[in-house]
Amino acid sequence: MEWAKPLAVVGMIGFIYFVFLYNNLVPQVQRLYFTGDTGMFIDPYVPAVSFSQVLSISIAFHVCFAMLTITFTRAVLTPAGSIPRTRKWKYNGKDSEPDSPALRRLKDILSFPIRVKESQESLRAFMKTVPVAERKKTLERRVCDKCNAFKPDRCHHCRYCNTCVLRMDHHCPFISNCVGANNHKFFFQMLFYGLMCAVFVLVDMFHRFLHVFRPMLDWQYFFKMDLPVGFAYVLTLVVFVALFCFFSFHVYLVLNCLTTIEHMEKKQSSDPDAKHRWKMVHLKFSHGYYGNLCHVLGEPWMWLLPIKPRHRTVTDGTYSATHVKRLDPESLDI
C-alpha cells in the first residue's frame, strides 16, 4: 500500500499528459496540414495557431515534462540520508561527551536566558565550529533510542521509514519517501517542473476548455473529446493551486534555511527555551538567502539540473563542522 499514492500520482500525470497531447496538441497540428476534405476527423474547436507556436510550445512543454519525470523518479528512489554507522554517532547507553571550554561556552549560549553577551557575528563564528549544536533541554546531545545513535544536527527519526533522516524536512506519502539531505533538491525541482507543466496545460488548453460548455450535439464526440478535456483541465487547475502553495512555502523554507519540521516545531514553538535554543543553533546553518539556496540546489548552473548539488555550503548532511576551519573559542570577541 505504500506505493499506492506514488502510483496514483503517476496515473494522474499520465492522464493529463495524454489528454493535453491527444486532445490539444495533435489537433492543432492536424488543423495546419489537413482539411475536412481528406476524411480525417479534425477537432474544429482547437485554436488555429502557426507551426512555430505549436513547435515552441511542444518543445518547451516536453522539456519540462521530461525534467518532471526525472526529478520525480529521483525523489522517489534516492534515499533521503541516514546517520553514518561510525563510532562517532554510536550510542552505548550513556553520553560520554568530554568536557571542554567550547562545550561549556555552547551550553552558556544555549541556556535561556543567555549567559553570555557577545555580538551576532561572534556567536555565528563560534556556532559554525561546533560539531553538534542541537541539544535537548538538559543541553545533552540528542539520542535516538530506536536507532541507538546520537542525532546529528537537523536529524529526526521517521516512524514511516523507521530510520533517522539527515536534515529531515518531512515524510511525503506521494513519493513514498522522506525528503532529506540527499533528495531535497530533487523534491524541490519536482515541485517547480510540475508547476511549469501545469502552467503550459492551463494556458494552451484554455481555448479548448471553453468549448466544453457549449450545447452538446454529439454524444460520441462529447465522451471522446469534451469530457476528457474538461476533467483534465479541472484536475490540472486543482494541482496547480496545490503546487503553487506548496512550492511557495518551500521557497520560503529554503531561502531561510528551514525545514518543515523546524518551521512548525521550533521556530513557531510556544516554549521560549526551545525557541531560544533554535535561534542560536540556526546561526550555524544559515548562509544568507543566496547561500541557503546554493546549500540545497548547488552552484547556480546546477539549479535546474537533476544532479547532486555541489557547493562550499553542502556537507555530508551531519553538519558536524568538519568542513569549517576550527576556531579557538577563547579567541572570539565576547
Side-chain angles (χ1 to χ4, degrees):
M1 291 299 293
E2 63 177 316
W3 290 100
K5 289 184 179 179
L7 290 176
V9 172
V10 171
M12 178 189 68
I13 293 174
F15 169 74
I16 293 174
Y17 173 79
F18 178 81
V19 172
F20 182 66
L21 184 68
Y22 178 76
N23 293 52
N24 186 71
L25 290 180
V26 171
Q28 288 179 12
V29 175
Q30 290 176 333
R31 287 199 65 174
L32 288 172
Y33 296 101
F34 301 99
T35 64
D37 298 336
T38 61
M40 176 182 293
F41 171 76
I42 300 176
D43 190 347
Y45 298 109
V46 295
V49 295
S50 65
F51 174 77
S52 60
Q53 286 178 293
V54 176
L55 182 64
S56 58
I57 291 174
S58 298
I59 292 176
F61 170 75
H62 280 92
V63 168
C64 288
F65 185 79
M67 296 299 280
L68 171 62
T69 304
I70 295 171
T71 53
F72 175 77
T73 303
R74 297 210 67 176
V76 171
L77 299 181
T78 303
S82 57
I83 301 175
R85 295 179 179 273
T86 60
R87 183 182 300 178
K88 177 179 180 179
W89 302 107
K90 189 175 181 180
Y91 177 62
N92 295 315
K94 62 179 181 178
D95 188 355
S96 56
E97 187 176 22
D99 189 26
S100 66
L103 179 60
R104 290 194 296 271
R105 186 182 182 195
L106 174 65
K107 291 183 177 181
D108 286 341
I109 292 173
L110 297 182
S111 298
F112 183 76
I114 190 170
R115 299 174 186 171
V116 294
K117 301 292 184 181
E118 52 188 294
S119 66
Q120 192 86 342
E121 291 74 18
S122 178
L123 283 172
R124 180 178 289 107
F126 172 74
M127 294 301 291
K128 288 185 181 296
T129 68
V130 177
V132 181
E134 275 195 90
R135 302 279 167 155
K136 297 187 289 186
K137 197 164 187 175
T138 59
L139 300 183
E140 296 177 318
R141 286 186 291 180
R142 300 181 305 142
V143 174
C144 179
D145 294 325
K146 296 180 181 178
C147 296
N148 291 320
F150 291 107
K151 289 182 179 181
D153 290 332
R154 314 188 81 181
C155 179
H156 299 275
H157 188 87
C158 176
R159 66 178 184 272
Y160 300 105
C161 299
N162 195 31
T163 188
C164 283
V165 178
L166 299 177
R167 202 179 79 211
M168 180 177 177
D169 187 273
H170 69 289
H171 182 89
C172 180
F174 297 105
I175 63 172
S176 190
N177 196 4
C178 273
V179 178
N182 292 345
N183 65 347
H184 194 173
K185 175 182 179 177
F186 305 133
F187 177 80
F188 188 84
Q189 290 177 320
M190 179 189 73
L191 298 179
F192 172 74
Y193 286 116
L195 194 61
M196 291 299 99
C197 288
V199 169
F200 274 108
V201 173
L202 293 176
V203 173
D204 195 57
M205 207 160 65
F206 179 71
H207 184 275
R208 181 62 187 82
F209 174 69
L210 292 179
H211 288 280
V212 170
F213 302 98
R214 75 191 189 288
M216 184 176 59
L217 302 177
D218 187 335
W219 280 97
Q220 184 178 359
Y221 180 84
F222 173 78
F223 284 110
K224 182 180 179 181
M225 303 298 292
D226 287 345
L227 187 61
V229 168
F231 185 71
Y233 196 89
V234 172
L235 181 60
T236 303
L237 184 61
V238 172
V239 171
F240 170 80
V241 173
L243 284 178
F244 179 81
C245 295
F246 209 46
F247 181 69
S248 299
F249 177 61
H250 275 269
V251 168
Y252 162 78
L253 293 179
V254 170
L255 290 177
N256 289 277
C257 195
L258 291 168
T259 64
T260 301
I261 293 176
E262 292 164 353
H263 177 74
M264 301 300 294
E265 296 184 1
K266 297 182 178 182
K267 186 179 180 181
Q268 295 186 339
S269 174
S270 58
D271 182 357
D273 190 3
K275 201 165 186 177
H276 166 76
R277 289 200 309 274
W278 170 244
K279 184 179 178 181
M280 294 297 102
V281 170
H282 189 253
L283 294 173
K284 175 182 177 180
F285 314 130
S286 184
H287 305 279
Y289 292 150
Y290 175 76
N292 293 339
L293 200 59
C294 292
H295 181 60
V296 174
L297 302 179
E299 300 287 352
W301 64 270
M302 300 178 173
W303 287 1
L304 297 178
L305 300 178
I307 58 178
K308 188 175 180 180
R310 294 196 302 272
H311 189 258
R312 61 178 179 79
T313 63
V314 178
T315 69
D316 61 356
T318 64
Y319 294 93
S320 55
T322 54
H323 65 297
V324 180
K325 182 181 178 181
R326 296 290 178 181
L327 301 177
D328 180 2
E330 305 301 331
S331 68
L332 299 174
D333 295 332
I334 301 179

